[in-house]
């Protein structure tokens, strides 16, 4: 049997390939892939027809005093220049301040410079861009404003009405609204810039709420389907534009902004699906609703428009697990006024109790593998120079006689994978954890950076997370306890599995160092409990002598071959036959039988 203590050239190549797979896995589940992460190479959306100037178009540099709308949820400013929404502040939340390392800044979705919204209107053959019009206030109150702008074809009216987190927007004009244009640079709101950047993307619903999609690609194109609404989301907040008639021929793009107060730049162009509505005065009308929302699941669901899908809790079964199990469990524990960090601790214990039968079976199988390992080593030594298929067939025969099902060792791990993914989505996206402190972590949805470095380490950053370091240490201890149960591969060129097992926790440190501290805290507690469970099972529950006796009894009983084992045996026999045919066709002498 090969006893490799290091990594040869082939092993290094295998490990490099495995590391690439692991790295790609982490990037994928950190968020949707963005083709523009390193270069902003997206092609711009085709520009619409240039507006034809009219008497109502503003002189360059004209700016009027904004109109303020305000309630307990939002503070909004409407600028007379273009009659558009220029400022939006969510009053119940604060944004992250790098200088103070606290959430103490006004949370501004629109900051008077980062959003430009305009309508293209067709007024008797003249194309006018609303961003070039100067509006005057006709009617105003704390939650409603009506503005008007003259044009050669008649008056254009904009009406805004604020209700809760929603801003109703009605357009009345002599001509139809032919196109909507929105340019938006999303501001950084959270401490974890890269994490928030990966969560910033398009989200939209299609064909009367039948389908939902998110898009972090460079270019957006929905030219065939009707779009019910469009959202540009961030980690915990979103701006949604919902036209009454829906959009058609929607296109757009997005590109990352590196090292700035802004994370991404979004551009959207779309036509209205129906622009023929008229009011009693005979004017063309187009209605919209702006929603400026925190990504709070009950609030999003209250609209009954699939807005809750904007919250990235995971697809299919993963999302269902978060929505129907983990979030209700968290809310239940929150009702006892327990600090958020200890709620995560209790949730971890509950999850481990649920998974304990699976872990018991897994460790029992590991103990059985340990008992029969001398027999496996004997088979490997006996068939060292034999055909690999023959050797594998003999190894499987040992497993079958001992009553050890190798597949049973994989199933417990596979069952735990959905829970792993669900928690991966849960901690960075739960609004209730935002800003919650625990020990040295100031925000459980962001990393802790108590240890600041005077330099930047590639893929690690300019800080060290204490939670990430603690988690890495605990995983290493867990690895030391379980490494003895790992059987080394005997095929030439296969990597040393024990070496890889010790390298993996170090790789995990690079991932957790910039992940949410709540996630790192969960993994720390989870692996600490794993260690306790292993020690309890090893020293108080499982008895290797009894397991050995059970294996001997299994050998004496006629063991029926399972379907999986039968299938594997048949596949190996076919492979052996094919190998003999190939050798015969090449004129090679048959390998001597052992």
């Amino acid at each position: 049997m090969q006893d490799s203590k290091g990594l040869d050239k082939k092993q290094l190549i295998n490990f490099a390939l495995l590391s690439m797979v692991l790295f790609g896995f982490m990037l994928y589940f950190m968020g949707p892939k963005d083709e523009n992460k390193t270069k902003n190479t997206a092609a711009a959306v085709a520009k619409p027809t240039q507006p034809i100037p009219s008497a109502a178009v503003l002189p360059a540099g004209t700016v009027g005093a904004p109109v303020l709308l305000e309630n307990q949820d939002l503070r909004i400013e409407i600028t007379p220049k273009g009659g558009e929404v220029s400022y939006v502040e969510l009053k119940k939340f604060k944004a992250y301040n790098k200088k103070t390392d606290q959430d103490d800044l006004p949370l501004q979705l629109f900051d008077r410079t980062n959003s430009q919204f305009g309508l293209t209107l067709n007024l008797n053959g003249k194309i006018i861009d609303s961003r070039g019009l100067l509006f005057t206030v006709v009617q105003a109150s704390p939650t409603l404003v009506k503005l008007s702008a003259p044009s050669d074809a008649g008056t254009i009216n904009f009406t805004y009405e604020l209700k809760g987190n929603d801003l109703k927007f009605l357009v009345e004009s002599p001509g139809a609204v032919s196109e909507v244009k929105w340019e938006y640079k999303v501001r950084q709101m959270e401490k974890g810039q890269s994490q928030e950047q990966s969560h910033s993307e398009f989200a939209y619903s299609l064909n009367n709420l039948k389908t939902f999609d998110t898009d972090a690609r460079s270019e957006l194109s929905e030219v065939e389907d009707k779009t019910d609404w469009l959202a540009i989301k961030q980690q915990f907040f979103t701006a949604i534009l919902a036209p009454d008639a829906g959009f058609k021929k929607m296109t757009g793009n997005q590109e990352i902004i590196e090292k700035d107060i802004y994370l991404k730049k979004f551009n959207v162009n779309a036509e209205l699906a129906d622009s023929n509505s008229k009011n009693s005065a005979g004017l063309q009308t187009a209605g919209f609703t702006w929603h400026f929302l925190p990504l709070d699941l009950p609030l999003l669901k209250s609209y009954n428009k699939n807005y809750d899908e904007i919250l990235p809790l995971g697809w299919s079964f993963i999302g269902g697990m978060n929505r129907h199990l983990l979030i209700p469990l968290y809310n239940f524990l929150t009702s006892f006024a327990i600090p958020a960090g200890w709620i995560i601790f209790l949730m971890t214990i509950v999850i481990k109790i649920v998974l304990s039968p699976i872990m018991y079976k897994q460790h029992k199988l590991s103990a059985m593998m340990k008992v029969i390992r001398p027999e496996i080593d004997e088979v490997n030594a006996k068939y060292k120079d034999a055909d690999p298929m023959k050797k594998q067939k003999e190894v499987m025969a040992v497993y079958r006689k001992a009553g050890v099902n190798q597949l049973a060792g994989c199933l417990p791990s596979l069952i735990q994978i959905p829970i792993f993914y669900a928690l991966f989505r849960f901690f960075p996206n739960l609004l209730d954890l935002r800003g919650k402190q625990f020990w040295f972590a100031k925000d459980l949805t962001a990393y802790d950076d108590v240890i600041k470095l005077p330099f930047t380490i590639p893929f690690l950053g300019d800080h060290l997370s204490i939670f990430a370091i603690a988690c890495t240490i605990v995983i290493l201890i867990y690895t030391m306890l379980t490494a003895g149960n790992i059987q080394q591969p005997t095929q030439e060129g296969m990597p040393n599995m024990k070496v890889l097992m010790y390298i993996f926790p170090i790789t995990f440190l690079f991932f957790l160092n910039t992940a949410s501290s709540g996630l790192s805290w969960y993994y720390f507690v989870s692996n600490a409990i794993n260690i306790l469970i292993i020690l309890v099972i090893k020293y108080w529950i499982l008895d290797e002598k009894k397991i050995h006796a059970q294996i001997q009894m299994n050998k004496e009983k006629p063991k029926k071959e399972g379907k999986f084992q039968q299938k594997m045996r048949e596949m190996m026999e076919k492979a052996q036959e094919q190998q003999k045919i190939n050798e015969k066709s090449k004129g090679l002498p048959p390998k001597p039988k052992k």
Side-chain angles (χ1 to χ4, degrees), residues 420-437:
F420 174 86
Y421 291 162
L423 292 165
F424 186 88
R425 289 291 188 181
F426 176 83
F427 290 110
N429 294 300
L430 188 64
L431 181 66
D432 194 63
L433 286 176
R434 183 179 185 267
K436 295 294 177 63
Q437 297 187 11

Side-chain angles (χ1 to χ4, degrees), residues 329-340:
L329 175 60
Y330 177 87
N331 292 336
F332 171 74
L333 295 174
T334 302
S335 65
F336 294 98
I338 303 172

Side-chain angles (χ1 to χ4, degrees), residues 262-279:
Y262 301 106
L263 303 173
K264 278 186 178 181
K265 180 181 179 181
F266 296 84
N267 292 279
V268 181
N269 285 35
E271 299 178 13
L272 289 185
D274 182 7
S275 57
N276 296 318
S277 300
K278 290 187 178 182
N279 62 11

